[in-house]
Amino acid sequence: MVSRQTSVQQAKTRSDWPLWKWAIDAEFKALNDLGVFSHDHTLADLRKQGVNQSPVPQKVIFVAKYDTEGNFVKSKARNCIAGHQGVKRFG
């Protein structure tokens, strides 16, 4: 049985790492193909464009997909914005 991972570091230590690497690569390729990310910027380039904030943290979420009979179908990875965890906004 392929179990769900909680981090990329944990996934790398497992014998089924190639399944998770494939899922991560597929997710980032799809995001790149959609133009979600922009690459090869230096800090100086970003500052010239008026970007003064820190990058938004991201996290990869892992899911093992199974069919109705409980057979493993595929591994999936989703890149998610981690947000501002633990930051008190009000009160």
Side-chain angles (χ1 to χ4, degrees):
M1 175 181 249
V2 177
S3 63
R4 182 175 168 237
Q5 306 308 305
T6 58
S7 70
V8 174
Q9 291 79 13
Q10 180 191 25
K12 284 182 176 182
T13 66
R14 298 179 45 89
S15 61
D16 58 359
W17 164 241
L19 293 172
W20 297 112
K21 180 168 181 358
W22 176 87
I24 293 168
D25 290 347
E27 173 71 359
F28 280 96
K29 181 184 182 317
L31 292 172
N32 278 320
D33 290 350
L34 290 169
V36 172
F37 296 116
S38 181
H39 300 282
D40 301 322
H41 300 284
T42 66
L43 183 58
D45 293 339
L46 294 173
R47 296 296 183 245
K48 284 180 192 174
Q49 295 175 20
V51 177
N52 295 313
Q53 297 83 14
S54 297
V56 177
Q58 300 175 44
K59 180 176 177 139
V60 177
I61 305 296
F62 298 96
V63 178
K65 296 287 189 168
Y66 296 90
D67 63 17
T68 56
E69 296 175 2
N71 299 311
F72 174 75
V73 176
K74 66 178 175 177
S75 55
K76 291 196 76 142
R78 290 289 178 243
N79 185 50
C80 300
I81 301 300
H84 300 281
Q85 299 170 352
V87 176
K88 187 174 181 181
R89 297 226 177 238
F90 301 100

